Amino acid sequence: MQIILCDDANQVAAVAASWFQTLLAQKPQAVLGLATGSTPIKLYQQLIALYQQQQISFAKCSSFNLDEYYDIAAEHRNSYRSFMQNQLFDHIDIDPERTFLPSCSSQDNPRLVGQAYERQISTMGGIDLQILGIGSNGHIGFNEPTSSLNSRTRLKTLTEQTLKDNSRLFTKDEIQPTMAMTMGIATIMQARYILLLATGKSKAEAVKQMISGPVSANCPASILQMHQNAVVILDKEAASLIEEQSYLRNAANENQRLISRYGLNLGDL
Ligand code: PGA
């Protein structure tokens, strides 16, 4: 696990955006794994700015989102499809036909939808770079604590904590979905690179558990300790409970030098 310590949320976004630039320079047809939530919004703003300055193009990319609420219309203002259109897709040159979310209505069989999503990811060659946030309870995607570490895309019931954390986005008269389709933990772990972004004090305990706690289904993000290319990008508050910060800064600088020299490790040479 590589841990990059940043001063603030803007720097977290800038560092994450530079990973996209490196990836797309090396592989313009990269398959992106995208996330919703408050954390990646600044990253998406940076990517839009880079696109506008013609420093990055998504024209040959495909994307798969981590999750989508169960039985929500794509046009609903709180669907993750709407989020992605508003925050990113409508402002860049990605082909809308190649942006995928695990949408599942009550008319669909969620098992078949999950299997089809997995197949689609494989058909496109697998995810090169997966963006993750982390829940205050340690979830990644909507893989809540106790999720199988070997899980695949499926329907999950959201915890009280997650419902509470996300309730800010729903008005009083809107029904907040209590279930979601989410990539599984094994799906996420197959990505060639994973960038987990965390900002703010409310994430500090979950970040500590992820990095230095045991690998446990009680903190799904802790599985990233088993990933070959997991990169965790933190602001000061999210990193406030992490020890050995000077070592981490040195290691991150060295890793950056290696990537500048040899490129990203995207498969067989
Ligand atoms: P947030 O959500 O970015 O809105 O804090 C992160 C998550 O739940 O994965």
Side-chain angles (χ1 to χ4, degrees), residues 9-19 21 42-43 46 50:
N10 287 330
Q11 200 187 352
V12 168
V15 170
S18 73
W19 280 77
Q21 276 190 292
K42 281 180 189 289
L43 162 64
Q46 299 253 2
L50 288 171

Side-chain angles (χ1 to χ4, degrees), residues 35-40 66-67 132-137 139-142 162 165-166 168-169 197 199 202-203:
T36 51
S38 306
T39 313
L66 281 171
D67 41 27
L132 295 178
I134 183 170
S136 59
N137 62 2
H139 76 199
I140 46 176
F142 274 133
T162 296
D165 288 350
N166 288 353
R168 67 184 190 283
L169 303 167
L197 280 47
T199 56
S202 65
K203 303 296 173 68

